[in-house]
């Protein structure tokens, strides 16, 4: 990845899709965007990231899924307050 540009990661709280709990994720770097879901931890939309970078993003999701799920649960608490 281009070391001079920061990759920004954002995520949703838990979403119910096809009867299953999922978390929507997004990586941004300038005009480059990659989006996916947990589970399964795969990038489903990509514009600007190389195949090697996408593979790295998927490894990141796999290695950090517990923390991502924890944050998704916290996000759900805040949205339920609104």
């Amino acid at each position: 990845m281009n070391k001079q540009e920061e990759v920004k990661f954002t995520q949703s709280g838990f979403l119910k899709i096809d009867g299953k709990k999922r978390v929507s994720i997004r990586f941004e770097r300038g005009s480059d965007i990659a989006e996916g879901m947990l589970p399964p931890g795969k990038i489903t939309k990509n514009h600007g990231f190389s195949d090697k970078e996408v593979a790295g993003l998927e490894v990141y999701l796999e290695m950090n899924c517990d923390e991502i799920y924890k944050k998704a649960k916290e996000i759900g608490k805040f949205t339920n307050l609104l």
Side-chain angles (χ1 to χ4, degrees):
M1 285 186 221
N2 183 348
K3 301 286 184 193
Q4 296 178 356
E5 282 197 68
E6 180 179 301
V7 176
K8 181 180 174 184
F9 172 82
T10 55
Q11 73 172 80
S12 70
F14 282 108
L15 307 169
K16 197 163 198 173
I17 299 173
D18 297 329
K20 298 179 182 177
K21 283 186 176 180
R22 305 229 189 256
V23 179
S24 176
I25 56 92
R26 181 179 174 112
F27 295 94
E28 296 178 69
R29 177 186 61 202
S31 62
D32 301 337
I33 297 170
E35 297 178 337
M37 288 280 178
L38 272 174
K42 298 291 181 191
I43 299 298
T44 55
K45 293 182 184 177
N46 174 39
H47 180 269
F49 288 92
S50 71
D51 290 343
K52 185 176 180 179
E53 290 172 325
V54 167
L57 296 174
E58 290 177 344
V59 168
Y60 174 86
L61 293 175
E62 181 181 337
M63 300 298 291
N64 293 283
C65 65
D66 289 340
E67 186 64 27
I68 294 168
Y69 289 142
K70 182 179 174 183
K71 289 190 185 289
K73 190 173 182 180
E74 291 173 14
I75 291 169
K77 290 178 185 176
F78 289 116
T79 56
N80 289 333
L81 293 174
L82 300 176

Short mmCIF file of all heavy atoms in Angstrom, two decimals, residues 12-70:
data_model
loop_
_atom_site.label_atom_id
_atom_site.label_comp_id
_atom_site.label_asym_id
_atom_site.label_seq_id
_atom_site.Cartn_x
_atom_site.Cartn_y
_atom_site.Cartn_z
N SER A 12 -19.94 -0.74 10.50
CA SER A 12 -21.29 -0.57 11.02
C SER A 12 -21.40 -1.30 12.35
O SER A 12 -20.49 -2.02 12.76
CB SER A 12 -22.30 -1.16 10.03
OG SER A 12 -22.21 -2.57 10.02
N GLY A 13 -22.55 -1.14 12.96
CA GLY A 13 -22.93 -2.03 14.04
C GLY A 13 -23.43 -3.31 13.40
O GLY A 13 -23.27 -3.52 12.20
N PHE A 14 -24.04 -4.19 14.19
CA PHE A 14 -24.57 -5.43 13.62
C PHE A 14 -25.78 -5.13 12.74
O PHE A 14 -26.66 -4.35 13.11
CB PHE A 14 -24.97 -6.42 14.71
CG PHE A 14 -23.79 -7.13 15.31
CD1 PHE A 14 -23.38 -6.83 16.60
CD2 PHE A 14 -23.10 -8.08 14.59
CE1 PHE A 14 -22.29 -7.48 17.16
CE2 PHE A 14 -22.02 -8.75 15.14
CZ PHE A 14 -21.61 -8.45 16.42
N LEU A 15 -25.81 -5.72 11.57
CA LEU A 15 -26.92 -5.63 10.64
C LEU A 15 -27.51 -7.03 10.47
O LEU A 15 -26.77 -8.02 10.53
CB LEU A 15 -26.43 -5.14 9.27
CG LEU A 15 -25.63 -3.85 9.25
CD1 LEU A 15 -25.00 -3.65 7.87
CD2 LEU A 15 -26.51 -2.68 9.63
N LYS A 16 -28.79 -7.11 10.26
CA LYS A 16 -29.41 -8.42 10.01
C LYS A 16 -29.62 -8.54 8.50
O LYS A 16 -30.41 -7.81 7.91
CB LYS A 16 -30.74 -8.57 10.74
CG LYS A 16 -31.20 -9.98 10.84
CD LYS A 16 -32.27 -10.14 11.89
CE LYS A 16 -32.38 -11.60 12.27
NZ LYS A 16 -33.27 -11.80 13.38
N ILE A 17 -28.85 -9.45 7.89
CA ILE A 17 -28.91 -9.67 6.44
C ILE A 17 -29.15 -11.14 6.21
O ILE A 17 -28.38 -11.99 6.67
CB ILE A 17 -27.60 -9.21 5.77
CG1 ILE A 17 -27.39 -7.71 6.02
CG2 ILE A 17 -27.63 -9.51 4.27
CD1 ILE A 17 -26.06 -7.17 5.55
N ASP A 18 -30.22 -11.44 5.48
CA ASP A 18 -30.60 -12.84 5.22
C ASP A 18 -30.73 -13.63 6.52
O ASP A 18 -30.34 -14.80 6.59
CB ASP A 18 -29.60 -13.51 4.28
CG ASP A 18 -29.55 -12.86 2.91
OD1 ASP A 18 -30.59 -12.34 2.47
OD2 ASP A 18 -28.48 -12.88 2.28
N GLY A 19 -31.22 -12.98 7.56
CA GLY A 19 -31.45 -13.65 8.83
C GLY A 19 -30.20 -13.86 9.68
O GLY A 19 -30.26 -14.52 10.70
N LYS A 20 -29.06 -13.30 9.24
CA LYS A 20 -27.81 -13.48 9.97
C LYS A 20 -27.22 -12.14 10.36
O LYS A 20 -27.39 -11.15 9.65
CB LYS A 20 -26.80 -14.24 9.11
CG LYS A 20 -27.25 -15.64 8.75
CD LYS A 20 -26.24 -16.33 7.88
CE LYS A 20 -26.76 -17.71 7.49
NZ LYS A 20 -25.85 -18.40 6.60
N LYS A 21 -26.53 -12.11 11.51
CA LYS A 21 -25.86 -10.90 11.95
C LYS A 21 -24.59 -10.70 11.13
O LYS A 21 -23.77 -11.61 11.02
CB LYS A 21 -25.48 -10.98 13.43
CG LYS A 21 -26.63 -10.77 14.36
CD LYS A 21 -26.11 -10.72 15.79
CE LYS A 21 -27.22 -10.40 16.75
NZ LYS A 21 -26.72 -10.35 18.13
N ARG A 22 -24.43 -9.50 10.59
CA ARG A 22 -23.25 -9.16 9.80
C ARG A 22 -22.79 -7.75 10.16
O ARG A 22 -23.56 -6.95 10.70
CB ARG A 22 -23.57 -9.20 8.31
CG ARG A 22 -24.15 -10.51 7.85
CD ARG A 22 -23.42 -11.00 6.64
NE ARG A 22 -24.11 -12.13 6.07
CZ ARG A 22 -23.69 -13.37 6.19
NH1 ARG A 22 -22.61 -13.64 6.86
NH2 ARG A 22 -24.34 -14.36 5.61
N VAL A 23 -21.53 -7.47 9.87
CA VAL A 23 -20.96 -6.15 10.06
C VAL A 23 -20.43 -5.67 8.71
O VAL A 23 -19.65 -6.38 8.06
CB VAL A 23 -19.80 -6.16 11.09
CG1 VAL A 23 -19.21 -4.78 11.25
CG2 VAL A 23 -20.30 -6.68 12.43
N SER A 24 -20.88 -4.52 8.27
CA SER A 24 -20.40 -3.92 7.04
C SER A 24 -19.09 -3.19 7.33
O SER A 24 -18.98 -2.47 8.32
CB SER A 24 -21.45 -2.94 6.50
OG SER A 24 -20.96 -2.29 5.36
N ILE A 25 -18.09 -3.37 6.46
CA ILE A 25 -16.81 -2.71 6.67
C ILE A 25 -16.42 -1.96 5.40
O ILE A 25 -16.87 -2.26 4.30
CB ILE A 25 -15.70 -3.73 7.06
CG1 ILE A 25 -15.56 -4.86 6.03
CG2 ILE A 25 -16.01 -4.35 8.41
CD1 ILE A 25 -14.54 -4.53 5.00
N ARG A 26 -15.56 -0.94 5.60
CA ARG A 26 -15.11 -0.12 4.47
C ARG A 26 -13.70 0.38 4.75
O ARG A 26 -13.42 0.87 5.84
CB ARG A 26 -16.07 1.05 4.29
CG ARG A 26 -15.75 1.97 3.14
CD ARG A 26 -16.82 3.06 3.06
NE ARG A 26 -16.52 4.05 2.08
CZ ARG A 26 -17.20 4.24 0.96
NH1 ARG A 26 -18.24 3.48 0.70
NH2 ARG A 26 -16.86 5.18 0.11
N PHE A 27 -12.85 0.28 3.74
CA PHE A 27 -11.51 0.84 3.79
C PHE A 27 -11.43 1.95 2.74
O PHE A 27 -11.90 1.75 1.62
CB PHE A 27 -10.45 -0.22 3.45
CG PHE A 27 -10.37 -1.35 4.44
CD1 PHE A 27 -11.08 -2.52 4.25
CD2 PHE A 27 -9.55 -1.26 5.55
CE1 PHE A 27 -11.00 -3.58 5.15
CE2 PHE A 27 -9.46 -2.31 6.46
CZ PHE A 27 -10.18 -3.47 6.26
N GLU A 28 -10.84 3.08 3.11
CA GLU A 28 -10.69 4.18 2.18
C GLU A 28 -9.25 4.69 2.22
O GLU A 28 -8.66 4.81 3.29
CB GLU A 28 -11.61 5.34 2.54
CG GLU A 28 -13.08 5.02 2.45
CD GLU A 28 -13.94 6.20 2.88
OE1 GLU A 28 -13.96 7.20 2.15
OE2 GLU A 28 -14.54 6.09 3.96
N ARG A 29 -8.73 5.02 1.04
CA ARG A 29 -7.40 5.62 0.93
C ARG A 29 -7.49 6.59 -0.25
O ARG A 29 -7.50 6.17 -1.40
CB ARG A 29 -6.34 4.55 0.66
CG ARG A 29 -4.94 5.11 0.46
CD ARG A 29 -3.97 4.04 0.05
NE ARG A 29 -4.38 3.44 -1.21
CZ ARG A 29 -4.00 2.23 -1.61
NH1 ARG A 29 -3.20 1.50 -0.87
NH2 ARG A 29 -4.40 1.74 -2.77
N GLY A 30 -7.62 7.86 0.06
CA GLY A 30 -7.84 8.82 -1.02
C GLY A 30 -9.13 8.47 -1.74
O GLY A 30 -10.18 8.36 -1.13
N SER A 31 -9.02 8.24 -3.05
CA SER A 31 -10.22 7.86 -3.82
C SER A 31 -10.39 6.35 -3.93
O SER A 31 -11.34 5.88 -4.54
CB SER A 31 -10.14 8.47 -5.23
OG SER A 31 -9.01 7.96 -5.91
N ASP A 32 -9.48 5.57 -3.32
CA ASP A 32 -9.58 4.11 -3.34
C ASP A 32 -10.55 3.65 -2.25
O ASP A 32 -10.50 4.14 -1.12
CB ASP A 32 -8.21 3.47 -3.08
CG ASP A 32 -7.17 3.88 -4.10
OD1 ASP A 32 -7.55 4.28 -5.22
OD2 ASP A 32 -5.97 3.81 -3.77
N ILE A 33 -11.42 2.71 -2.61
CA ILE A 33 -12.43 2.21 -1.67
C ILE A 33 -12.53 0.69 -1.80
O ILE A 33 -12.56 0.15 -2.90
CB ILE A 33 -13.82 2.83 -1.96
CG1 ILE A 33 -13.78 4.33 -1.77
CG2 ILE A 33 -14.90 2.20 -1.08
CD1 ILE A 33 -15.02 5.05 -2.25
N ALA A 34 -12.59 0.02 -0.65
CA ALA A 34 -12.84 -1.43 -0.61
C ALA A 34 -13.90 -1.66 0.46
O ALA A 34 -13.83 -1.12 1.55
CB ALA A 34 -11.56 -2.19 -0.28
N GLU A 35 -14.91 -2.47 0.12
CA GLU A 35 -16.00 -2.75 1.04
C GLU A 35 -16.21 -4.26 1.15
O GLU A 35 -15.94 -5.00 0.22
CB GLU A 35 -17.30 -2.12 0.54
CG GLU A 35 -17.25 -0.61 0.47
CD GLU A 35 -18.53 -0.01 -0.08
OE1 GLU A 35 -19.28 -0.71 -0.79
OE2 GLU A 35 -18.78 1.16 0.21
N GLY A 36 -16.70 -4.68 2.31
CA GLY A 36 -16.99 -6.09 2.52
C GLY A 36 -17.87 -6.31 3.73
O GLY A 36 -18.44 -5.36 4.28
N MET A 37 -17.98 -7.57 4.13
CA MET A 37 -18.82 -7.96 5.26
C MET A 37 -18.07 -8.96 6.14
O MET A 37 -17.26 -9.74 5.67
CB MET A 37 -20.09 -8.67 4.78
CG MET A 37 -21.11 -7.80 4.14
SD MET A 37 -22.07 -6.94 5.37
CE MET A 37 -23.10 -5.96 4.32
N LEU A 38 -18.41 -8.91 7.41
CA LEU A 38 -17.99 -9.93 8.38
C LEU A 38 -19.24 -10.56 8.94
O LEU A 38 -20.13 -9.81 9.34
CB LEU A 38 -17.21 -9.29 9.53
CG LEU A 38 -15.73 -9.13 9.36
CD1 LEU A 38 -15.17 -8.35 10.53
CD2 LEU A 38 -15.03 -10.45 9.23
N PRO A 39 -19.34 -11.85 9.09
CA PRO A 39 -18.61 -12.79 8.26
C PRO A 39 -19.04 -12.66 6.81
O PRO A 39 -20.10 -12.09 6.56
CB PRO A 39 -19.00 -14.13 8.84
CG PRO A 39 -20.30 -13.93 9.54
CD PRO A 39 -20.34 -12.49 9.93
N PRO A 40 -18.30 -13.08 5.88
CA PRO A 40 -17.18 -14.00 5.92
C PRO A 40 -15.81 -13.34 5.96
O PRO A 40 -14.80 -14.04 5.95
CB PRO A 40 -17.35 -14.79 4.62
CG PRO A 40 -17.89 -13.79 3.66
CD PRO A 40 -18.76 -12.88 4.50
N GLY A 41 -15.73 -12.02 5.98
CA GLY A 41 -14.42 -11.38 6.00
C GLY A 41 -13.81 -11.23 4.63
O GLY A 41 -12.60 -11.26 4.48
N LYS A 42 -14.65 -11.10 3.64
CA LYS A 42 -14.19 -10.96 2.26
C LYS A 42 -14.53 -9.57 1.72
O LYS A 42 -15.59 -9.02 2.03
CB LYS A 42 -14.83 -12.01 1.34
CG LYS A 42 -14.49 -13.43 1.72
CD LYS A 42 -13.05 -13.72 1.43
CE LYS A 42 -12.70 -15.15 1.78
NZ LYS A 42 -11.26 -15.38 1.75
N ILE A 43 -13.64 -9.03 0.92
CA ILE A 43 -13.89 -7.76 0.23
C ILE A 43 -14.77 -8.07 -0.97
O ILE A 43 -14.44 -8.93 -1.79
CB ILE A 43 -12.57 -7.09 -0.21
CG1 ILE A 43 -11.68 -6.79 1.01
CG2 ILE A 43 -12.85 -5.84 -1.03
CD1 ILE A 43 -12.28 -5.83 2.01
N THR A 44 -15.92 -7.40 -1.07
CA THR A 44 -16.87 -7.67 -2.15
C THR A 44 -16.90 -6.56 -3.20
O THR A 44 -17.36 -6.79 -4.31
CB THR A 44 -18.28 -7.86 -1.58
OG1 THR A 44 -18.63 -6.71 -0.79
CG2 THR A 44 -18.35 -9.11 -0.71
N LYS A 45 -16.43 -5.37 -2.83
CA LYS A 45 -16.35 -4.25 -3.77
C LYS A 45 -14.98 -3.61 -3.63
O LYS A 45 -14.51 -3.39 -2.51
CB LYS A 45 -17.43 -3.20 -3.49
CG LYS A 45 -18.84 -3.67 -3.74
CD LYS A 45 -19.82 -2.56 -3.48
CE LYS A 45 -21.25 -3.06 -3.63
NZ LYS A 45 -22.23 -2.01 -3.31
N ASN A 46 -14.36 -3.31 -4.76
CA ASN A 46 -13.03 -2.73 -4.72
C ASN A 46 -12.85 -1.75 -5.87
O ASN A 46 -13.18 -2.07 -7.01
CB ASN A 46 -11.97 -3.83 -4.81
CG ASN A 46 -10.57 -3.27 -4.91
OD1 ASN A 46 -10.23 -2.28 -4.29
ND2 ASN A 46 -9.75 -3.91 -5.73
N HIS A 47 -12.33 -0.60 -5.55
CA HIS A 47 -11.98 0.38 -6.58
C HIS A 47 -10.65 1.00 -6.17
O HIS A 47 -10.61 1.83 -5.25
CB HIS A 47 -13.06 1.46 -6.71
CG HIS A 47 -12.73 2.48 -7.75
ND1 HIS A 47 -12.03 3.62 -7.44
CD2 HIS A 47 -12.95 2.50 -9.08
CE1 HIS A 47 -11.86 4.33 -8.55
NE2 HIS A 47 -12.41 3.66 -9.55
N GLY A 48 -9.56 0.58 -6.78
CA GLY A 48 -8.28 1.21 -6.57
C GLY A 48 -7.25 0.44 -5.76
O GLY A 48 -6.06 0.73 -5.85
N PHE A 49 -7.66 -0.53 -4.96
CA PHE A 49 -6.71 -1.36 -4.23
C PHE A 49 -6.25 -2.50 -5.14
O PHE A 49 -7.07 -3.08 -5.87
CB PHE A 49 -7.33 -1.94 -2.95
CG PHE A 49 -7.54 -0.93 -1.86
CD1 PHE A 49 -8.73 -0.25 -1.72
CD2 PHE A 49 -6.52 -0.65 -0.95
CE1 PHE A 49 -8.94 0.67 -0.71
CE2 PHE A 49 -6.71 0.27 0.07
CZ PHE A 49 -7.91 0.94 0.19
N SER A 50 -4.98 -2.85 -5.09
CA SER A 50 -4.46 -3.98 -5.88
C SER A 50 -4.96 -5.29 -5.28
O SER A 50 -5.43 -5.34 -4.14
CB SER A 50 -2.93 -3.96 -5.88
OG SER A 50 -2.43 -4.31 -4.60
N ASP A 51 -4.84 -6.37 -6.05
CA ASP A 51 -5.23 -7.69 -5.55
C ASP A 51 -4.44 -8.06 -4.30
O ASP A 51 -4.99 -8.62 -3.35
CB ASP A 51 -5.02 -8.76 -6.62
CG ASP A 51 -6.00 -8.65 -7.78
OD1 ASP A 51 -7.04 -7.97 -7.63
OD2 ASP A 51 -5.73 -9.25 -8.84
N LYS A 52 -3.16 -7.71 -4.29
CA LYS A 52 -2.32 -8.00 -3.12
C LYS A 52 -2.79 -7.19 -1.91
O LYS A 52 -2.84 -7.71 -0.79
CB LYS A 52 -0.86 -7.66 -3.44
CG LYS A 52 0.10 -8.02 -2.35
CD LYS A 52 1.53 -7.75 -2.78
CE LYS A 52 2.51 -8.11 -1.67
NZ LYS A 52 3.90 -7.87 -2.07
N GLU A 53 -3.17 -5.95 -2.13
CA GLU A 53 -3.68 -5.12 -1.03
C GLU A 53 -5.00 -5.65 -0.51
O GLU A 53 -5.23 -5.69 0.70
CB GLU A 53 -3.84 -3.67 -1.49
CG GLU A 53 -2.52 -2.97 -1.73
CD GLU A 53 -2.67 -1.62 -2.37
OE1 GLU A 53 -3.58 -1.42 -3.22
OE2 GLU A 53 -1.86 -0.72 -2.03
N VAL A 54 -5.89 -6.08 -1.40
CA VAL A 54 -7.18 -6.66 -0.99
C VAL A 54 -6.93 -7.89 -0.13
O VAL A 54 -7.58 -8.08 0.91
CB VAL A 54 -8.07 -6.98 -2.21
CG1 VAL A 54 -9.26 -7.85 -1.80
CG2 VAL A 54 -8.55 -5.70 -2.86
N ALA A 55 -5.99 -8.73 -0.54
CA ALA A 55 -5.66 -9.92 0.26
C ALA A 55 -5.19 -9.50 1.65
O ALA A 55 -5.56 -10.12 2.65
CB ALA A 55 -4.60 -10.75 -0.45
N GLY A 56 -4.41 -8.43 1.73
CA GLY A 56 -3.95 -7.92 3.03
C GLY A 56 -5.09 -7.39 3.87
O GLY A 56 -5.11 -7.59 5.09
N LEU A 57 -6.05 -6.73 3.24
CA LEU A 57 -7.21 -6.22 3.97
C LEU A 57 -8.04 -7.38 4.53
O LEU A 57 -8.54 -7.32 5.66
CB LEU A 57 -8.08 -5.34 3.07
CG LEU A 57 -7.43 -4.05 2.55
CD1 LEU A 57 -8.36 -3.36 1.56
CD2 LEU A 57 -7.03 -3.13 3.68
N GLU A 58 -8.17 -8.45 3.76
CA GLU A 58 -8.91 -9.62 4.23
C GLU A 58 -8.19 -10.31 5.39
O GLU A 58 -8.84 -10.77 6.34
CB GLU A 58 -9.15 -10.59 3.08
CG GLU A 58 -10.14 -10.03 2.07
CD GLU A 58 -10.38 -10.91 0.86
OE1 GLU A 58 -9.59 -11.83 0.61
OE2 GLU A 58 -11.39 -10.65 0.16
N VAL A 59 -6.87 -10.33 5.35
CA VAL A 59 -6.10 -10.88 6.48
C VAL A 59 -6.33 -10.00 7.71
O VAL A 59 -6.53 -10.50 8.82
CB VAL A 59 -4.59 -10.98 6.14
CG1 VAL A 59 -3.77 -11.25 7.39
CG2 VAL A 59 -4.36 -12.06 5.10
N TYR A 60 -6.35 -8.69 7.51
CA TYR A 60 -6.62 -7.77 8.62
C TYR A 60 -7.97 -8.08 9.25
O TYR A 60 -8.09 -8.14 10.48
CB TYR A 60 -6.59 -6.32 8.12
CG TYR A 60 -7.01 -5.32 9.18
CD1 TYR A 60 -6.09 -4.82 10.08
CD2 TYR A 60 -8.34 -4.91 9.28
CE1 TYR A 60 -6.47 -3.92 11.07
CE2 TYR A 60 -8.73 -4.02 10.27
CZ TYR A 60 -7.80 -3.53 11.15
OH TYR A 60 -8.18 -2.65 12.14
N LEU A 61 -8.99 -8.28 8.42
CA LEU A 61 -10.33 -8.60 8.94
C LEU A 61 -10.31 -9.90 9.74
O LEU A 61 -10.91 -9.98 10.81
CB LEU A 61 -11.34 -8.70 7.80
CG LEU A 61 -11.65 -7.40 7.07
CD1 LEU A 61 -12.56 -7.67 5.88
CD2 LEU A 61 -12.27 -6.39 8.01
N GLU A 62 -9.63 -10.89 9.22
CA GLU A 62 -9.55 -12.19 9.91
C GLU A 62 -8.84 -12.04 11.26
O GLU A 62 -9.29 -12.59 12.27
CB GLU A 62 -8.80 -13.19 9.03
CG GLU A 62 -8.69 -14.57 9.65
CD GLU A 62 -7.93 -15.54 8.76
OE1 GLU A 62 -7.86 -15.32 7.54
OE2 GLU A 62 -7.41 -16.53 9.31
N MET A 63 -7.75 -11.31 11.28
CA MET A 63 -6.95 -11.17 12.50
C MET A 63 -7.61 -10.27 13.55
O MET A 63 -7.30 -10.37 14.73
CB MET A 63 -5.57 -10.60 12.16
CG MET A 63 -4.76 -11.47 11.20
SD MET A 63 -4.38 -13.10 11.83
CE MET A 63 -3.26 -12.70 13.12
N ASN A 64 -8.53 -9.41 13.11
CA ASN A 64 -9.13 -8.44 14.03
C ASN A 64 -10.63 -8.60 14.17
O ASN A 64 -11.30 -7.70 14.70
CB ASN A 64 -8.80 -7.02 13.54
CG ASN A 64 -7.34 -6.72 13.66
OD1 ASN A 64 -6.83 -6.45 14.74
ND2 ASN A 64 -6.61 -6.80 12.55
N CYS A 65 -11.19 -9.72 13.73
CA CYS A 65 -12.65 -9.88 13.75
C CYS A 65 -13.23 -9.80 15.16
O CYS A 65 -14.31 -9.22 15.33
CB CYS A 65 -13.09 -11.15 13.03
SG CYS A 65 -12.55 -12.68 13.80
N ASP A 66 -12.56 -10.30 16.16
CA ASP A 66 -13.10 -10.22 17.52
C ASP A 66 -13.26 -8.77 17.96
O ASP A 66 -14.29 -8.40 18.54
CB ASP A 66 -12.20 -10.97 18.51
CG ASP A 66 -12.25 -12.48 18.33
OD1 ASP A 66 -13.22 -12.98 17.72
OD2 ASP A 66 -11.32 -13.16 18.78
N GLU A 67 -12.27 -7.95 17.68
CA GLU A 67 -12.34 -6.53 18.05
C GLU A 67 -13.40 -5.80 17.24
O GLU A 67 -14.13 -4.95 17.75
CB GLU A 67 -10.97 -5.87 17.85
CG GLU A 67 -10.91 -4.44 18.34
CD GLU A 67 -11.10 -4.29 19.85
OE1 GLU A 67 -10.78 -5.23 20.61
OE2 GLU A 67 -11.57 -3.22 20.26
N ILE A 68 -13.52 -6.15 15.97
CA ILE A 68 -14.54 -5.54 15.11
C ILE A 68 -15.93 -5.89 15.62
O ILE A 68 -16.81 -5.02 15.70
CB ILE A 68 -14.34 -5.96 13.64
CG1 ILE A 68 -13.02 -5.38 13.11
CG2 ILE A 68 -15.51 -5.53 12.77
CD1 ILE A 68 -12.56 -5.96 11.78
N TYR A 69 -16.16 -7.15 16.00
CA TYR A 69 -17.46 -7.55 16.54
C TYR A 69 -17.74 -6.83 17.86
O TYR A 69 -18.87 -6.43 18.13
CB TYR A 69 -17.52 -9.07 16.76
CG TYR A 69 -17.58 -9.87 15.49
CD1 TYR A 69 -16.90 -11.08 15.39
CD2 TYR A 69 -18.32 -9.45 14.39
CE1 TYR A 69 -16.95 -11.84 14.24
CE2 TYR A 69 -18.37 -10.21 13.23
CZ TYR A 69 -17.69 -11.40 13.16
OH TYR A 69 -17.75 -12.15 12.02
N LYS A 70 -16.72 -6.66 18.68
CA LYS A 70 -16.87 -5.95 19.95
C LYS A 70 -17.33 -4.51 19.71
O LYS A 70 -18.25 -4.02 20.35
CB LYS A 70 -15.55 -5.98 20.72
CG LYS A 70 -15.59 -5.33 22.08
CD LYS A 70 -14.24 -5.44 22.76
CE LYS A 70 -14.21 -4.66 24.06
NZ LYS A 70 -12.89 -4.70 24.68
#
